[in-house]
Amino acid sequence: MLNIVLFGPPGAGKGTQSERLIEKYGLIHLSTGDMFRMHISNDTELGKQVKQILADGMLVPDSITIDMLEEEVSQHPNAKGFIFDGFPRTVAQAEALDAYLAGKGQQIDMVLQLDVPEETIKERIELRRQSSGRADDDAEKLLKRIDEYFSKTIHVLPYYKDQQKVTTINGVGEIDAISDLLYASIDPHVA
Ligand code: ADP
């Protein structure tokens, strides 16, 4: 098993890099943001519950998020490992994930932090907003999401630093070069 948390602010490149990592290492990509958007577009009960929260750029309550994530993990009993993208976003989520994995005799092996300065994020997100059409990508809501990251999600890092699991990767530069940095961190864990 190889369980990786890919950590970083909105616009850090988690989605792009996740795609490469799942391909190279045969992992399952679990993005809670993608899961919520899927529920919203399918108009499920959960989708109805979280639609406004996403539109406002706020965090979905932990209990809803944790239940959804665990349910999704349980769908892949034979996975070689997972990339958690956009989860955990709070310390409560990190603790729940640790407890859940421990119950299966597993753990988070590494936390790869994509480090991108706030100003760079805002520039990137503005570019993406113009092309993606993602409903939560409007300017004000975007600032809210960045704010949620720097006020809440960032506190997840010390939680994993205490466990000595964090590797910080410079997330500014060529996409390929950043992938190479990620591979160099992961490869020793899959030897
Ligand atoms: P980004 O990283 O670009 O902000 P995501 O796709 O990861 O976007 O998440 C989109 C939205 O989904 C978040 O703004 C939040 O409302 C909700 N969300 C995603 N993951 C979580 C989570 N782990 N806890 C709470 N809310 C979440």
Side-chain angles (χ1 to χ4, degrees), residues 120-181:
T120 311
I121 293 159
K122 288 182 181 165
E123 289 164 17
R124 283 187 189 178
I125 281 210
E126 177 57 24
L127 287 175
R128 185 174 80 183
R129 191 176 72 80
Q130 290 164 9
S131 60
S132 78
R134 242 173 76 171
D136 57 350
D137 272 356
D138 85 70
E140 189 194 328
K141 302 301 156 49
L142 215 44
L143 291 177
K144 182 70 206 162
R145 272 161 51 210
I146 293 170
D147 188 57
E148 289 284 82
Y149 176 82
F150 284 103
S151 66
K152 294 184 185 151
T153 305
I154 199 78
H155 299 300
V156 173
L157 268 187
Y159 174 85
Y160 285 120
K161 278 187 178 157
D162 285 347
Q163 301 183 17
Q164 292 170 340
K165 288 182 178 166
V166 179
T167 303
T168 301
I169 306 279
N170 181 2
V172 182
E174 293 293 325
I175 291 176
D176 285 347
I178 297 166
S179 301
D180 287 341
L181 291 173

Side-chain angles (χ1 to χ4, degrees), residues 8-11 14 31-34 36-37 50 53-55 57-62 65 85-90 93 125 128 134 136-137 142 145:
K14 301 188 297 290
S31 156
T32 41
D34 285 352
F36 286 131
R37 282 186 289 276
V50 303
I53 300 174
L54 262 82
M58 309 287 289
L59 291 186
V60 174
D62 285 333
T65 308
D85 163 3
F87 184 95
R89 259 176 159 93
T90 63
Q93 291 179 13
I125 281 210
R128 185 174 80 183
R134 242 173 76 171
D136 57 350
D137 272 356
L142 215 44
R145 272 161 51 210

